[in-house]
Amino acid sequence: MLDVRDISVGYGERAVLGGLSFELRDGETIVLLGANGAGKTTLIKALNATLPLTSGDIALDGESLAKISRREIARNIAVVAQENETRFPVTVLEFVLSGRFVHGNAFGWESEADVEFAERALADCDLSGYETRLMNHLSGGERQRVVLARALATGAKILLLDEPTANLDLAHQAMMFRLVRERCRSCRASAVVITHDLNLAAEFADEIILLKDGRIAAKGTPAEVLTAENIKDVFSVNVLLDQNPASGSVRVTNVF
Ligand code: ADP
């Protein structure tokens, strides 16, 4: 569990996030929504301790992140960043296996168990058969799935995903969210996912955090947070809300 207590974060003199508190419980998927520049990516960086806090604290299972080694954090928290430069001439399997380095043995090579982890993650991401393909010869969407597979292969119980569906087609967007939610529910893992797709958020989030200008504008279940008023306040657009007839979740339609 990650316990975020009254954190403020910025870049040098520039304050970006102010006074944020929330809990990421085991088994839970939180979706972060907000306009460009609201501070979503900055929050992901703070949750992974790659950006220092100006004030407040983040605890991983009760222990402050500030007191945990980088390696221990990497074992527990896997990040899929937005701008991953992944066009290396390495094979898909090598790339996914690199996610196992956080568990590396003294000799630095992978074990059979590591290869199994990697193969399972590839299969989960619909990438069986891609093992020997080169990363720099894949499409953007394929590369994005490989990056997710590497995050899954780490075995980390917390996943932080910054717009993981940005390059994916419709089927793979749903696959990605379903995979993350299943992983959270079945392995008591948890995830924070940034997306701009309000309907995917409505469908897959246990909790939504709506960020506005570095502060939490609303937090709660999709039905509590996705109101026309909140959406107008944060995104400055008018929407119609009803119920998705197939799933029963809130459905958001833009009024153009
Ligand atoms: P979001 O992910 O919601 O679009 P970001 O967290 O990327 O927002 O950015 C929040 C604010 O922080 C923006 O005003 C952005 O310009 C600023 N910012 C982001 N990265 C840096 C940086 N490295 N240095 C200074 N300011 C930054």
Side-chain angles (χ1 to χ4, degrees):
M1 179 174 125
L2 270 185
D3 190 3
V4 179
R5 304 169 189 147
D6 198 17
I7 62 163
S8 297
V9 184
Y11 300 93
E13 294 290 285
R14 185 192 176 90
V16 174
L17 302 176
L20 264 59
S21 295
F22 64 93
E23 281 180 359
L24 175 67
R25 297 172 205 91
D26 293 349
E28 186 177 49
T29 302
I30 290 183
V31 171
L32 270 184
L33 297 175
N36 293 139
K40 302 179 297 296
T41 299
T42 302
L43 177 55
I44 293 270
K45 289 182 190 163
L47 293 179
N48 179 41
T50 48
L51 201 56
L53 306 180
T54 318
S55 62
D57 189 38
I58 300 175
L60 170 65
D61 295 332
E63 195 172 355
S64 173
L65 279 189
K67 294 186 184 140
I68 305 177
S69 71
R70 203 56 250 166
R71 192 179 172 88
E72 191 60 24
I73 291 174
R75 240 183 244 145
N76 284 281
I77 304 178
V79 182
V80 173
Q82 199 177 90
E83 284 143 32
N84 249 303
E85 195 31 76
T86 52
R87 291 163 191 263
F88 318 118
V90 300
T91 69
V92 165
L93 183 60
E94 283 164 343
F95 185 81
V96 173
L97 270 172
S98 69
R100 300 296 301 164
F101 286 170
V102 287
H103 302 277
N105 59 37
F107 306 105
W109 60 70
E110 65 269 4
S111 66
E112 252 177 57
D114 291 332
V115 176
E116 264 174 43
F117 257 94
E119 292 283 4
R120 199 172 323 132
L122 283 169
D124 284 346
C125 294
D126 199 19
L127 289 165
S128 294
Y130 277 68
E131 288 81 350
T132 58
R133 298 275 303 273
L134 292 175
M135 287 296 282
N136 53 332
H137 291 176
L138 299 180
S139 73
E142 287 166 337
R143 254 197 311 277
Q144 202 161 26
R145 274 149 56 212
V146 178
V147 174
L148 175 66
R150 181 172 69 166
L152 295 175
T154 63
K157 59 182 184 182
I158 295 175
L159 296 170
L160 306 178
L161 310 172
D162 195 344
E163 293 194 43
T165 54
N167 289 312
L168 300 185
D169 60 43
L170 282 182
H172 285 114
Q173 287 179 12
M175 179 214 79
M176 203 289 310
F177 266 97
R178 205 169 289 123
L179 191 61
V180 170
R181 190 177 58 183
E182 283 311 306
R183 173 128 176 166
C184 291
R185 296 206 170 146
S186 60
C187 304
R188 306 297 296 157
S190 49
V192 177
V193 188
I194 296 176
T195 179
H196 285 294
D197 190 320
L198 302 185
N199 286 307
L200 280 174
E203 206 62 59
F204 291 102
D206 294 308
E207 185 168 280
I208 292 178
I209 293 179
L210 204 49
L211 275 188
K212 184 184 179 187
D213 300 331
R215 296 183 181 272
I216 294 180
K219 178 162 82 74
T221 63
E224 287 165 350
V225 171
L226 295 176
T227 63
E229 204 179 0
N230 283 341
I231 294 170
K232 174 85 178 169
D233 177 37
V234 168
F235 297 105
S236 307
V237 292
N238 292 310
V239 293
L240 293 175
L241 297 171
D242 64 356
Q243 204 177 38
N244 182 316
S247 66
S249 304
V250 182
R251 181 171 59 179
V252 184
T253 308
N254 259 4
V255 180
F256 293 106

